[in-house]
Amino acid sequence: MVLLSAQRWIRSRLTDRFWRVQEVLKYARHFRGRKNRCYKLAVRSVRRAFVKSTKARREKKRILRALWITRIEAASLEHGLKYPAFISNLLKSQVELNRKVIADLAIYEPKTFKSLAALAQRRRQEGFLAALGDGKEPEGIFSRIVHHY
Amino acid sequence: VAKTSLTSPPWPEVKLPDPVEEAKYHTEVVQKVNKMIATGQYGRLFAVVHFASKQWKITSEDLIMMDNVLEAECGDRIRMEKVLLVGADDFTLIGRPLLGKDLVRVEATVIEKTESWPKINMRFWRRHNYQRKKIIVNPQTVLRINTIEIFPCLS
């Protein structure tokens, strides 16, 4: 018999199934149970792991900000100020440090944090006097706004 | 007149110190700090710098990694303006909001420019046959903070 059309007898075969499977299993090697060995279970677990990590990257920013706020609150309570008073008075005295840096200062530079708390307390008192006195007494020194032109 | 619960307001009375005495005290403190800076009686300085839309607390010999591209070759020296706070052991200089450029000088060198590890972005809706997978690689730059210097020009 003469095979007139030889091309029809060659079918394509999947030859790199091993590497395609390893691509998925390499992300599942540290999982618990059969999902670190069996491909069918691993595919589902790896997919869930990727989706959770993408969502967690957005949540991480919120979690870290809440952590910094808790730490700043604890540190300012040690100096006799509450967190909203501390932050609002710092912003009113034109000190634009963000919560990450203030939390780091509260941990590693206690003297600097104490001076920031004293600044906020003084600005708070000047605010009270300005609100109660209605402008007859001299304005506070720490409430002066610095203009950079 | 007898003191009742309504004679004085319920909030604690706030008294500020005398302005003249306060001004004298302030000038004294400023002169002392200026003398300390001029004579060099400080140990390690730390600074808070606003760079690449983030605030960093840095000292000398520090490594910083930014998640973006910097238009400077490897080995270029960079001066960071926008310093928010400078401190040593005994004194801190707080800027409102920034400190002057003639007061602080922060120098850094660009060490390496690489890419981040491949982060995987995956979206999946169950029972809807929808999944998208994207690999994100961000360019990163590593800087080494060489020196932080302060000059005695307080007033």
Side-chain angles (χ1 to χ4, degrees):
Chain A
M1 183 167 80
V2 176
L3 295 171
L4 287 169
S5 48
Q7 289 85 355
R8 283 170 180 243
W9 291 80
I10 303 171
R11 295 271 183 243
S12 60
R13 294 181 64 233
L14 194 62
T15 44
D16 57 349
R17 186 173 284 120
F18 171 76
W19 293 281
R20 289 191 196 191
V21 159
Q22 287 304 305
E23 245 177 43
V24 169
L25 282 179
K26 80 174 182 227
Y27 290 109
R29 286 304 180 200
H30 62 278
F31 289 172
R32 199 184 199 205
R34 265 196 279 173
K35 36 189 205 278
N36 60 25
R37 299 183 289 276
C38 311
Y39 180 74
K40 210 164 166 179
L41 309 173
V43 161
R44 294 174 221 153
S45 293
V46 163
R47 194 187 291 150
R48 280 175 73 77
F50 285 162
V51 167
K52 286 185 183 195
S53 72
T54 36
K55 289 192 189 156
R57 251 176 264 142
R58 302 169 59 188
E59 297 286 305
K60 179 177 174 183
K61 299 158 180 72
R62 301 175 205 178
I63 293 174
L64 278 179
R65 185 170 163 126
L67 177 69
W68 296 327
I69 292 178
T70 330
R71 288 185 176 173
I72 298 171
E73 197 170 339
S76 63
L77 283 173
E78 280 178 11
H79 292 286
L81 267 179
K82 295 194 192 171
Y83 172 80
F86 180 69
I87 286 280
S88 58
N89 291 114
L90 267 194
L91 284 173
K92 282 179 202 169
S93 346
Q94 284 182 298
V95 176
E96 277 157 37
L97 296 164
N98 63 4
R99 286 142 179 90
K100 167 178 116 179
V101 149
I102 302 179
D104 290 340
L105 290 177
I107 298 172
Y108 294 111
E109 321 276 344
K111 297 186 208 169
T112 309
F113 190 82
K114 185 171 179 179
S115 62
L116 284 173
L119 175 67
Q121 177 77 332
R122 171 60 187 263
R123 176 68 183 77
R124 191 170 186 229
Q125 285 168 352
E126 282 175 10
F128 291 157
L129 285 179
L132 297 171
D134 285 334
K136 281 170 273 184
E137 285 88 46
E139 288 173 15
I141 308 169
F142 284 76
S143 326
R144 264 183 247 147
I145 301 182
V146 183
H147 295 283
H148 303 274
Y149 295 129
Chain B
V1 184
K3 285 220 166 148
T4 57
S5 64
L6 291 178
T7 40
S8 57
W11 52 81
E13 206 200 305
V14 164
K15 255 193 220 160
L16 287 183
D18 194 23
V20 171
E21 275 183 32
E22 252 223 302
K24 229 188 332 178
Y25 175 66
H26 283 335
T27 43
E28 240 184 72
V29 167
V30 165
Q31 271 166 19
K32 228 201 257 184
V33 172
N34 226 1
K35 216 190 330 178
M36 279 180 79
I37 300 175
T39 47
Q41 287 168 15
Y42 45 80
R44 179 168 270 258
L45 284 173
F46 75 91
V48 170
V49 151
H50 185 283
F51 194 67
S53 77
K54 284 177 275 283
Q55 295 181 10
W56 312 80
K57 177 193 164 294
I58 52 179
T59 36
S60 47
E61 311 156 25
D62 230 358
L63 276 177
I64 278 189
M65 186 163 80
M66 303 160 18
D67 220 16
N68 52 21
V69 171
L70 200 58
E71 282 158 8
E73 301 305 312
C74 291
D76 281 356
R77 274 190 86 100
I78 288 179
R79 181 193 171 174
M80 292 194 200
E81 304 158 7
K82 288 198 206 163
V83 180
L84 295 150
L85 215 183
V86 159
D89 195 25
D90 295 320
F91 61 88
T92 34
L93 306 168
I94 308 179
R96 298 172 86 187
L98 296 174
L99 290 169
K101 283 175 25 172
D102 50 346
L103 189 55
V104 199
R105 196 182 163 88
V106 180
E107 301 237 313
T109 337
V110 182
I111 290 190
E112 75 179 277
K113 293 160 85 164
T114 50
E115 299 175 325
S116 74
W117 61 287
K119 299 187 192 176
I120 302 186
N121 212 7
M122 184 134 184
R123 296 186 294 172
F124 173 75
W125 283 353
R126 53 185 178 179
R127 298 186 292 266
H128 289 261
N129 193 23
Y130 171 80
Q131 55 174 333
R132 304 280 182 266
K133 183 169 162 185
K134 187 174 177 181
I135 300 185
I136 299 180
V137 178
N138 294 324
Q140 289 173 338
T141 325
V142 180
L143 298 172
R144 163 95 60 187
I145 311 290
N146 299 114
T147 49
I148 305 178
E149 293 152 8
I150 43 175
F151 309 107
C153 32
L154 293 172
S155 63

